[in-house]
């Protein structure tokens, strides 16, 4: 997928993607001009340099998270892991639509849940006969047994609303002059004139809606998975927390909170993020591809059209590159106090070749900032020493985190949280 990137850049689209209305999703758009146009927009807003413009939003939301966690702390209370999801949602939705969310019951988040359900159920291999007998899609939904059409109709409105509604709100705000800064606002301001070129207006408008519509879906659960792995790893191996805090104390010190600019001087924090991505990758089998031409690999013939699944889990648990791979051990990436260039970074967690995750720079900044900030001011402790660890299985994989507590490290750390500006 890297060496012959062009031949394996086609993701495997399913008929259920069309029936449920998910066919606008970049992840399932076949390799070609339609994919390229949308991917170009993504790249423009999320390349390594562009991702820097979101650091202020990330820093503000991470610090708001620290403040809320400190305020809700009690001697016996448990940390509510859902507050991490809220922070991740707040970051991506403000960047994308200039949108503020009050809590996890925000209508946009509820709509997303419904839309994701369509993927989780509709994309399970073998769930619908229509994938094997495509003509079944033409059977009207009132005919008994036409379950695929019926399923699609049930989800289609939510999936389309997810893409369109929020974008339309920003469109109205732009025309009233009240739109907050966001990617959607920038795209709307660049829309060609509807009067002089209606075709271009429609085409660019579609790309813009498709692009913004997928950021929340692609970006929140994946980052949440990485942070769940980090929490579980720290609970299982407490020495990692102590080592990270030693690094933070010496580089950042007691008078301020960590920032994204500190990260180049915090190799151990970077190693923790890498280990979380490696240890329990969010997408253990990546996104299935379809070979575009006949090929041969390792003595096997791969006919055009074959579905190719990359075993990301196996690559990231290769015991030659990562000895004792089932153990959470960020030290594997460190040599002489710096990142060890001889150990392969876990880039497979973000995919391969031309379809590699386009949000990886944004995600990396958020992960670094969350991990460094949390460990700078809190000690993470299990509620009970007697707990077991597990990772969920599925297209998306999450660490199952046992109940834990975020205990303030020191009184001065708490004072820092309250006085820190964004
Ligand atoms: C830790 C966080 C993340 C992980 C582990 C992750 C992982 C992945 C993986 C494995 C793929 C499939 C790549 C392939 O087919 O080879 C992917 C694709 C994608 N990701 Fe991410 N992702 C993360 C965060 C994000 C964020 C924050 C965004 C949005 C800003 C995003 C947007 C996308 C998009 C749009 C694609 C489809 C790319 C294409 O098909 O051309 N991801 N991601």
């Amino acid at each position: 997928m890297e060496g012959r990137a062009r031949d394996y850049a086609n993701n495997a689209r399913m008929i259920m993607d069309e029936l449920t209305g998910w066919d606008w999703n970049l992840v399932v758009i076949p390799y070609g001009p339609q994919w390229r146009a949308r991917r170009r927009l993504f790249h423009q807003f999320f390349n390594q340099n562009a991702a820097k413009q979101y650091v202020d939003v990330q820093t503000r939301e991470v610090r708001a998270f620290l403040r809320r966690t400190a305020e809700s702390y009690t001697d016996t209370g448990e940390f509510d892991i859902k507050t991490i999801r809220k922070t991740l949602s707040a970051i991506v939705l403000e960047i994308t639509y200039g949108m503020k969310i009050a809590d996890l019951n925000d209508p946009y988040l509820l709509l997303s849940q419904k839309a994701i359900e369509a993927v989780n159920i509709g994309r399970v291999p073998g769930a619908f006969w229509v994938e094997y007998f495509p003509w079944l899609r033409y059977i009207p939904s009132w005919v008994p047994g036409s379950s695929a059409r019926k399923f699609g109709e049930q989800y289609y409105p939510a999936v389309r609303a997810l893409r369109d509604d929020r974008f339309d709100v920003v469109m109205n705000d732009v025309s009233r002059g009240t739109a907050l800064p966001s990617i959607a606002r920038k795209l709307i301001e660049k829309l060609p004139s509807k009067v002089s070129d209606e075709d271009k207006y429609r085409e660019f408008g579609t790309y813009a809606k498709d692009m913004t519509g997928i950021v929340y879906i692609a970006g929140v659960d994946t980052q949440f998975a990485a942070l769940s792995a980090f929490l579980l790893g720290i609970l299982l191996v407490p020495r990692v927390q102590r080592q990270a805090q030693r690094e933070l104390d010496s580089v950042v010190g007691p008078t301020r909170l960590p920032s994204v600019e500190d990260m180049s001087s915090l190799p151990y924090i970077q190693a923790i993020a890498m280990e979380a991505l490696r240890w329990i990758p969010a997408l253990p089998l990546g996104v299935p591809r379809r070979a575009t031409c006949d090929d041969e690999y390792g003595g096997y013939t791969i006919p055009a059209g074959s579905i190719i699944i990359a075993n990301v889990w196996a690559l990231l648990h290769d015991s030659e590159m990562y000895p004792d791979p089932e153990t959470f051990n960020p030290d594997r990436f460190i040599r002489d106090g710096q990142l060890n260039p001889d150990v392969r970074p876990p880039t497979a967690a973000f995919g391969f070749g031309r379809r590699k995750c386009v949000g990886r720079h944004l995600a990396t900044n958020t992960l670094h900032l969350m991990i460094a900030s949390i460990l700078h001011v809190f000690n993470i402790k299990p509620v009970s020493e007697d707990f077991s660890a597990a990772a969920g299985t599925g297209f998306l994989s999450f660490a199952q985190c046992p109940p834990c507590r975020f205990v303030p490290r020191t009184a001065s750390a708490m004072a820092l949280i309250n006085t820190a500006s964004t």
Side-chain angles (χ1 to χ4, degrees):
M1 288 182 185
E2 296 282 357
R4 298 174 210 178
R6 196 176 188 289
D7 301 342
Y8 293 98
N10 216 7
N11 279 359
R13 187 182 207 154
M14 297 174 79
I15 290 174
M16 287 312 289
D17 296 329
E18 287 165 45
L19 295 182
T20 54
W22 263 119
D23 48 349
W24 54 271
N25 169 3
L26 186 75
V27 182
V28 304
I29 293 180
Y31 185 65
Q34 290 292 321
W35 170 80
R36 223 172 277 118
R38 291 162 175 85
R39 174 93 188 189
R40 216 178 285 128
L41 276 192
F42 254 112
H43 181 73
Q44 194 181 318
F45 287 101
F46 290 106
N47 68 58
Q48 192 162 13
N49 218 13
K52 291 181 188 150
Q53 63 190 300
Y54 311 122
V55 165
D56 284 352
V57 175
Q58 289 166 303
T59 307
R60 174 163 33 80
E61 286 304 327
V62 169
R63 293 185 179 180
F65 163 82
L66 297 181
R67 220 167 287 134
R68 283 194 304 269
T69 308
E71 279 163 14
S72 59
Y73 173 75
T74 60
D75 285 345
T76 51
E78 276 174 30
F79 171 69
D80 180 2
I81 197 166
K82 288 203 292 298
T83 57
I84 291 187
R85 191 186 287 274
K86 184 187 168 212
T87 300
L88 300 172
S89 306
I91 292 172
V92 297
L93 290 174
E94 178 164 348
I95 291 171
T96 311
Y97 295 117
M99 184 179 160
K100 311 273 184 198
I101 54 163
D103 54 39
L104 289 171
N105 290 322
D106 184 279
Y108 183 87
L109 305 195
L110 299 178
L111 191 66
S112 314
Q113 267 170 28
K114 168 108 183 161
I116 291 173
E117 219 174 85
V119 178
N120 289 343
I121 305 172
R123 281 198 134 241
V124 172
F128 291 96
W129 283 104
V130 72
E131 302 298 344
Y132 310 103
F133 305 108
W135 51 267
L136 281 173
R137 64 191 299 184
Y138 302 111
I139 308 275
S141 56
W142 50 266
V143 175
S146 61
S147 58
R149 278 284 288 257
K150 230 176 262 161
F151 180 84
E153 283 169 13
Q154 193 187 329
Y155 284 97
Y156 195 94
V159 176
R160 288 295 159 143
L162 177 78
R163 184 190 70 158
D164 298 341
D165 291 1
R166 210 48 233 180
F167 194 85
D168 293 344
V169 169
V170 182
M171 194 100 144
N172 286 333
D173 290 348
V174 169
S175 59
R176 283 201 302 265
T178 56
L180 294 172
S182 68
I183 294 174
R185 186 176 97 176
K186 282 193 184 144
L187 289 168
I188 290 163
E189 286 166 351
K190 277 197 201 160
L191 271 175
S193 154
K194 190 176 181 180
V195 182
S196 57
D197 196 338
E198 188 160 356
D199 286 349
K200 278 238 157 62
Y201 170 85
R202 259 184 224 294
E203 187 184 55
F204 188 80
T206 304
Y207 296 155
K209 273 188 179 179
D210 290 0
M211 189 234 136
T212 47
I214 202 62
V215 176
Y216 174 84
I217 300 288
V220 170
D221 278 353
T222 43
Q223 295 185 89
F224 182 70
L227 287 171
S228 307
F230 148 70
L231 280 186
L232 182 59
I234 291 287
L235 290 167
L236 286 168
V237 192
R239 72 164 176 78
V240 171
Q241 169 161 260
R242 291 193 292 276
Q243 189 158 339
Q245 289 172 338
R246 274 197 294 278
E247 181 180 72
L248 286 161
D249 291 347
S250 96
V251 174
V252 180
T255 57
R256 64 183 183 87
L257 291 170
S259 67
V260 167
E261 290 78 47
D262 290 319
M263 294 309 152
S264 54
S265 316
L266 295 170
Y268 200 69
I269 296 296
Q270 292 185 54
I272 294 177
M274 286 157 85
E275 183 65 348
L277 290 163
R278 183 204 69 82
W279 188 44
I280 307 181
L283 279 83
L285 295 177
V287 175
R289 302 284 177 82
R290 204 180 276 283
T292 48
C293 54
D294 292 344
D295 195 10
E296 272 211 22
Y297 187 77
Y300 291 94
T301 301
I302 303 174
S306 305
I307 301 269
I308 311 293
I309 294 175
N311 193 341
V312 172
W313 181 276
L315 284 169
L316 296 177
H317 286 243
D318 167 6
S319 56
E320 271 184 35
M321 181 50 68
Y322 308 112
D324 193 11
E326 306 306 325
T327 300
F328 181 80
N329 177 20
D331 298 72
R332 69 175 80 249
F333 292 107
I334 298 285
R335 189 174 63 200
D336 300 333
Q338 294 302 321
L339 288 178
N340 182 352
D342 294 334
V343 180
R344 194 171 56 218
T347 51
F350 287 115
F352 310 93
R354 299 190 182 181
R355 309 288 300 226
K356 192 179 287 170
C357 175
V358 79
R360 62 193 187 279
H361 304 296
L362 178 83
T364 304
N365 285 346
T366 305
L367 297 185
H368 287 165
L369 204 52
M370 278 295 267
I371 293 171
S373 305
I374 290 171
L375 294 178
H376 195 52
V377 294
F378 294 109
N379 284 319
I380 304 170
K381 293 188 170 165
V383 167
S384 150
E385 292 301 331
D386 182 24
F387 66 87
S388 57
T393 52
F395 176 66
L396 254 168
S397 178
F398 295 99
Q400 310 282 317
C401 239
C404 62
R405 304 177 59 229
F406 277 33
V407 182
R409 275 183 80 197
T410 58
S412 59
M414 290 305 97
L416 261 189
I417 296 177
N418 292 321
T419 52
S421 56
T422 54

